[in-house]
Amino acid sequence: MDSNILPIYLYGADVLRETAREADLSEREHIATLVEEMKNTLKSADGCGLAAPQVGVSERILIVDGTVVADVYDYLKDFRRTMINPVLLEESKEQCTYSEGCLSVPGIYAEVRRPSKIKVEYYNEDLEKVTEEFDKFACRMIQHEMEHLEGHLFVDNVAPIRRKMITRKLQNIAKGRISARYKTRQ
C-alpha cells in the first residue's frame, strides 16, 4: 500500500462543494489505497474525521477515528470506522449542540446543532454491508463527514450572527492566507 500523506483541500476549493459520486465497489484496489492514504493523512493532521472530497477525491468514502478524542470522550477509545457509500437511514428528533472544527476550515470552531442519534448503512473496508446506530460524539463525527459527501461544510450550519463573525476568516482561508500544521491545497 502507498503510505502517502495527501494534501487537505481548504475552504474555497470546488471539490468541497460537489456532491460526491458513489464509490465503485468493483475498484477494490483503488478503494483500499485511498482509504490507507486517508488514514495516514488524518493521522498526520491529528484529526478525528476525513471525507474523500477533503483530499480532492469526489467519492462517497469517509473515515472517523475517535481515539484522538478519547481523553475527552473515553467511550471512543476503540472507535474507528471506514464508511464507503454511507446512507443515512434514520435520525432522531432530539438534537444536541457541540463545538465543531474541520481540517478544511483551519482555526475556526463553532457550535453546531445536529440530531443526537443516527442510523447509517454503509460498506466497511472489507466491502461488507453494515447497518449501525450511533449516538453521542461518534454520531457527531459521522454526520460532519457525511455532510462533506453532499458538498456541505459545518460552517454552513452555524447561526447567522456567528457566520457573519467568521466571514473574514473564511475569505482568508479561501485566498490561501492561512497556515496549517498539515499539508494543504486550495
Side-chain angles (χ1 to χ4, degrees), residues 74-124:
D74 65 337
Y75 55 87
L76 294 175
K77 66 180 173 23
D78 297 317
F79 185 81
R80 289 185 178 93
R81 294 290 184 282
T82 297
M83 296 183 166
I84 302 160
N85 297 334
V87 175
L88 181 66
L89 300 176
E90 294 174 21
E91 60 184 27
S92 66
K93 286 188 168 87
E94 309 128 37
Q95 297 200 330
C96 58
T97 303
Y98 283 95
S99 180
E100 292 187 26
C102 181
L103 294 172
S104 292
V105 191
I108 296 179
Y109 299 89
E111 297 286 316
V112 178
R113 195 164 175 73
R114 297 188 188 274
S116 1
K117 293 180 184 174
I118 58 171
K119 185 178 195 177
V120 180
E121 181 180 88
Y122 63 94
Y123 290 90
N124 65 18

Side-chain angles (χ1 to χ4, degrees), residues 57-178:
V57 180
S58 189
E59 289 185 37
R60 300 184 78 77
I61 299 173
L62 66 86
I63 59 174
V64 289
D65 183 349
T67 64
V68 298
V69 292
D71 56 332
V72 178
Y73 306 109
D74 65 337
Y75 55 87
L76 294 175
K77 66 180 173 23
D78 297 317
F79 185 81
R80 289 185 178 93
R81 294 290 184 282
T82 297
M83 296 183 166
I84 302 160
N85 297 334
V87 175
L88 181 66
L89 300 176
E90 294 174 21
E91 60 184 27
S92 66
K93 286 188 168 87
E94 309 128 37
Q95 297 200 330
C96 58
T97 303
Y98 283 95
S99 180
E100 292 187 26
C102 181
L103 294 172
S104 292
V105 191
I108 296 179
Y109 299 89
E111 297 286 316
V112 178
R113 195 164 175 73
R114 297 188 188 274
S116 1
K117 293 180 184 174
I118 58 171
K119 185 178 195 177
V120 180
E121 181 180 88
Y122 63 94
Y123 290 90
N124 65 18
E125 282 182 73
D126 297 321
L127 302 184
E128 301 163 331
K129 192 179 266 191
V130 177
T131 301
E132 199 171 359
E133 292 184 22
F134 302 96
D135 63 4
K136 302 180 185 174
F137 201 74
C139 174
R140 171 71 40 160
M141 291 187 300
I142 291 164
Q143 289 177 84
H144 177 110
E145 298 311 326
M146 283 183 73
E147 240 181 16
H148 279 295
L149 306 179
E150 300 304 327
H152 300 292
L153 300 168
F154 85 100
V155 292
D156 301 335
N157 302 323
V158 302
I161 186 75
R162 178 71 175 127
R163 175 75 182 205
K164 191 168 183 157
M165 292 168 62
I166 62 174
T167 298
R168 178 166 285 148
K169 284 183 179 179
L170 291 171
Q171 290 168 343
N172 285 335
I173 294 169
K175 291 176 182 172
R177 295 186 201 136
I178 189 79

Side-chain angles (χ1 to χ4, degrees), residues 8-73:
I8 294 174
Y9 283 67
L10 297 178
Y11 180 88
D14 291 341
V15 70
L16 296 176
R17 292 303 187 176
E18 296 172 8
T19 300
R21 68 185 175 281
E22 282 205 0
D24 182 344
L25 299 181
S26 70
E27 294 182 358
R28 286 169 112 45
E29 192 173 315
H30 162 73
I31 290 172
T33 300
L34 178 58
V35 166
E36 190 65 28
E37 289 174 338
M38 287 173 64
K39 286 179 179 179
N40 292 334
T41 300
L42 182 63
K43 185 174 180 155
S44 83
D46 205 23
C48 64
L50 191 65
Q54 291 180 274
V55 294
V57 180
S58 189
E59 289 185 37
R60 300 184 78 77
I61 299 173
L62 66 86
I63 59 174
V64 289
D65 183 349
T67 64
V68 298
V69 292
D71 56 332
V72 178
Y73 306 109

